Amino acid sequence: MKLVYVFDAYCGWSHGFSATLRETVSRHPGLPVEVVSGGLFTGGRRVPIREFGYVQGANAQIAAQTGATFGEGYERLIADGSFVMDSEAAARGVAALRRVAPDRAVELATALQQAFYVDGLSLSDSATYRKLAEQAGLDADAVVAAFESPESAGTAADDFRRAAELGVTGFPTLLAVDGEHVVPLALGHATADDVDRRLTAFEATRTSSSHTH
């Protein structure tokens, strides 16, 4: 069995879920976690941030429910309004970090959200990935090369397809996957205790069904 975390680096609720995700992973060190990017802002949704009038209200709600912080660098982006969130570029970045440090995918995905939502750094800019890689003690040149490589667009498309195949329609979604069995553990907002309860229930049903067959 493994956990599959489907998120979008430009999704505020995913940023809000970061603490729950890290807590869940620390409670279950033996469980593998697959991190998949969803395509929230692609195609016609790649427009200046000012066109999403609800952003600040949504962020206030996210902060209240999850305790997530939004930093001054990010607030400046919102105030300016011209920044364009591009989920395809962010997915390429997630894939680049995942490729260089596969066992640290959760930590790096949440750090990426921090870079945007706290520091206001663009996830379309290779300098952001260089900085993140250096902070994480990774080979920064390898991360930037993976982000800029022609293959990275295909990897992003694979992620979006994987999210769709898993039936994910909103972010963040945390799933437990055991063979053909896929069960949602969290959609949008949940605490680590909520996740644990659902995980325990799922494991119990899997154990009882394996005894009956």
Side-chain angles (χ1 to χ4, degrees):
M1 184 176 78
K2 67 176 174 180
L3 300 178
V4 179
Y5 180 57
V6 187
F7 85 121
D8 193 287
Y10 279 128
C11 163
W13 284 103
S14 295
H15 173 54
F17 192 74
S18 290
T20 295
L21 180 67
R22 287 195 299 264
E23 174 66 21
T24 298
V25 170
S26 72
R27 289 183 187 185
H28 303 278
L31 260 186
V33 188
E34 177 187 351
V35 175
V36 179
S37 292
L40 188 55
F41 299 104
T42 56
R45 284 177 63 81
R46 281 187 277 208
V47 294
I49 209 165
R50 72 170 70 89
E51 297 197 20
F52 298 100
Y54 56 82
V55 166
Q56 276 161 310
N59 291 348
Q61 199 185 345
I62 293 163
Q65 282 201 33
T66 69
T69 53
F70 296 86
E72 284 177 21
Y74 170 74
E75 297 295 352
R76 279 195 295 274
L77 279 189
I78 296 283
D80 171 72
S82 62
F83 183 77
V84 175
M85 295 182 287
D86 179 352
S87 291
E88 195 263 351
R92 283 169 32 222
V94 171
L97 291 163
R98 202 171 55 199
R99 182 166 157 189
V100 173
D103 53 336
R104 295 172 67 187
V106 165
E107 169 203 339
L108 294 166
T110 57
L112 195 55
Q113 295 217 274
Q114 191 91 352
F116 177 63
Y117 280 106
V118 177
D119 304 330
L121 300 177
S122 168
L123 306 185
S124 296
D125 187 347
S126 51
T128 299
Y129 299 99
R130 180 171 293 284
K131 183 180 176 185
L132 266 178
E134 285 167 355
Q135 286 172 343
L138 300 175
D139 181 339
D141 289 340
V143 170
V144 170
F147 173 66
E148 293 177 344
S149 76
E151 296 83 40
S152 68
T155 313
D158 289 344
D159 266 31
F160 298 162
R161 202 163 35 247
R162 171 95 169 117
E165 283 166 1
L166 287 164
V168 173
T169 54
F171 314 109
T173 295
L174 182 65
L175 304 167
V177 178
D178 188 1
E180 296 295 300
H181 299 267
V182 179
V183 169
L185 301 175
L187 304 168
H189 170 57
T191 66
D193 288 342
D194 295 333
V195 171
D196 271 357
R197 272 195 299 277
R198 289 166 196 154
L199 191 55
T200 304
F202 177 57
E203 286 172 328
T205 59
R206 299 297 297 128
T207 309
S208 63
S209 67
S210 67
H211 287 323
T212 54
H213 293 304

